[in-house]
Amino acid sequence: MRLEKFRGIIPAFYACYDDQGDISEARTNALCDYLYEKKVNGVYVGGSSGECIYQNLDERKAVLTYVANRLKGKMTLIAHVGAPSTRDSIELAKHAATLGYDALSAIPPIYFKLPDSSVCKYWNEIIDATPLDFIIYNIPQTTGYTLTTSLFEKLLANPKVIGVKNSSMPTMDIERFKRVGGDNVVVFNGPDEQYVAGRMMGADGGIGGTYAAMPELFLQANEFFLQGKFEEAKRIQSHINDIIVALCSQNGSMYAVIKEVLNRRGVNIGSVRGPLEGISNEDMGRIDSIISMIDEATQQFCK
Ligand SMILES: CC(=O)N[C@@H]([C@@H](O)[C@H](O)[C@H](O)CO)[C@@H](O)CC(=O)C(=O)O
């Protein structure tokens, strides 16, 4: 029961900036409202898609506050609090706890390559700082650190550790973490390109950076999976992947492209913060065709 709220489709929340590139409360609210209307199961705030790595502590606290004020009690809220220092991570964790988040999450330490003992200590110090549940964030392709099943097992000794958001590419990692934790943990699929495969390998749901660009498609893929309609789930995944390839094939970063897609849907959340690239004039001309791909797939699969 305690873990039930952590299942399903949980979009990674984007950074919402004004035209000057500052965090915008109004635009954050607009994205909250859009996702609420789409009936997603929750949001993961301040992670990779939230551009956390490019924001200072006050900005990250503000985003956590705005989202909680708008969505608390309406869906599951997970706060990503990973930061370069343990001190800053704890400050963010305590802030999220005062706002009523359902769980915390954090990447491992970045920049210095630290031993497992330091990584374990870092996560445990965040966990000890608040009464909230904790979801480990494993994303080796950006952090350079790979969570092992043995460290996962060790961390699970703390009852506040309820699972892992696994963004590594092998779906076998999902199966291994689920094997270690069983029904007492939630494992989230990270790579959106293999959402259905991740579910097949045991993931309880997903947290993804492209969900908000096409929430209906991911919700439907999840529905097909739950209904045992695996052929349909596979077909919708193929369409999702065509769209992700298009989102990632522009001059601007994937997040900049998604933000322009949302802008054309009436949800203006600004652009991205450098060094991420904004979209080019050339990209601008191709956004409508990406929107058509999303709309056509939605029409085909979501009745
Ligand atoms: C490496 C990376 O950014 N992975 C994304 C994916 O959702 C990714 O955007 C997607 O699979 C497209 O490649 C997520 O796992 C990250 C995420 O959910 C987040 O913290 O924003």
Side-chain angles (χ1 to χ4, degrees):
M1 275 307 278
R2 172 172 163 238
L3 299 185
E4 213 39 56
K5 62 182 169 188
F6 295 104
R7 297 182 197 282
I9 297 298
I10 303 193
F13 200 85
Y14 306 126
C16 302
Y17 300 119
D18 63 19
D19 293 340
Q20 284 68 50
D22 292 318
I23 303 287
S24 163
E25 179 171 8
R27 290 180 177 180
T28 302
N29 287 343
L31 182 59
C32 288
D33 294 349
Y34 168 81
L35 292 172
Y36 178 64
E37 279 162 25
K38 296 295 178 188
K39 300 189 168 57
V40 298
N41 302 100
V43 283
Y44 186 85
V45 188
S48 321
S49 310
E51 299 173 44
C52 69
I53 224 67
Y54 304 137
Q55 292 167 6
N56 66 37
L57 220 45
D58 287 341
E59 290 177 314
R60 292 185 63 180
K61 282 185 184 173
V63 174
L64 289 170
T65 305
Y66 300 153
V67 175
N69 287 347
R70 201 72 170 185
L71 291 177
K72 180 71 199 147
K74 292 181 165 176
M75 62 174 72
T76 299
L77 302 181
I78 305 171
H80 175 260
V81 299
S85 72
T86 306
R87 189 187 170 111
D88 284 356
S89 305
I90 287 176
E91 192 170 329
L92 285 169
K94 286 185 168 163
H95 182 68
T98 64
L99 297 167
Y101 273 77
D102 295 286
L104 301 174
S105 180
I107 49 171
I110 50 171
Y111 190 65
F112 288 119
K113 201 166 163 25
L114 300 177
D116 267 9
S117 55
S118 308
V119 176
C120 192
K121 187 160 182 269
Y122 167 74
W123 274 326
N124 275 321
E125 285 180 8
I126 298 173
I127 295 164
D128 289 345
T130 85
L132 292 185
D133 286 331
F134 186 80
I135 297 161
I136 299 159
Y137 189 173
N138 184 42
I139 183 162
Q141 61 271 53
T142 58
T143 61
Y145 178 84
T146 301
L147 177 70
T148 59
T149 45
S150 58
L151 183 60
F152 184 52
E153 198 164 10
K154 191 169 167 194
L155 286 156
L156 285 176
N158 186 329
K160 282 194 265 175
V161 178
I162 57 164
V164 55
K165 163 174 159 34
N166 188 65
S167 288
S168 69
M169 291 311 285
T171 49
M172 182 186 171
D173 291 350
I174 288 173
E175 182 274 330
R176 288 290 90 187
F177 292 137
K178 199 67 195 171
R179 183 88 172 135
V180 168
D183 291 340
N184 298 325
V185 305
V186 275
V187 178
F188 293 98
N189 180 78
D192 305 353
E193 298 83 343
Q194 50 204 49
Y195 177 75
V196 171
R199 290 289 263 145
M200 291 296 290
M201 293 296 267
D204 300 280
I207 295 171
T210 67
Y211 294 0
M214 44 184 150
E216 293 89 348
L217 294 179
F218 280 100
L219 286 163
Q220 189 61 58
N222 192 52
E223 212 40 54
F224 281 147
F225 175 80
L226 290 173
Q227 293 166 358
K229 295 182 177 170
F230 302 127
E231 271 311 311
E232 286 90 335
K234 216 166 69 181
R235 282 202 295 129
I236 206 168
Q237 181 76 70
S238 281
H239 283 262
I240 285 172
N241 290 1
D242 289 344
I243 296 160
I244 294 178
V245 168
L247 291 170
C248 295
S249 305
Q250 309 307 318
N251 299 311
S253 83
M254 183 191 81
Y255 297 121
V257 177
I258 291 176
K259 286 178 181 189
E260 184 54 26
V261 167
L262 287 171
N263 185 30
R264 294 197 194 181
R265 302 243 190 241
V267 186
N268 180 2
I269 56 170
S271 186
V272 290
R273 199 170 262 189
L276 290 178
E277 288 275 354
I279 57 172
S280 66
N281 287 337
E282 227 183 328
D283 295 340
M284 277 292 199
R286 292 190 290 246
I287 301 290
D288 279 342
S289 76
I290 300 178
I291 291 179
S292 298
M293 290 169 80
I294 299 172
D295 290 347
E296 279 161 26
T298 306
Q299 263 174 17
Q300 184 180 342
F301 292 102
C302 313
K303 304 284 181 238

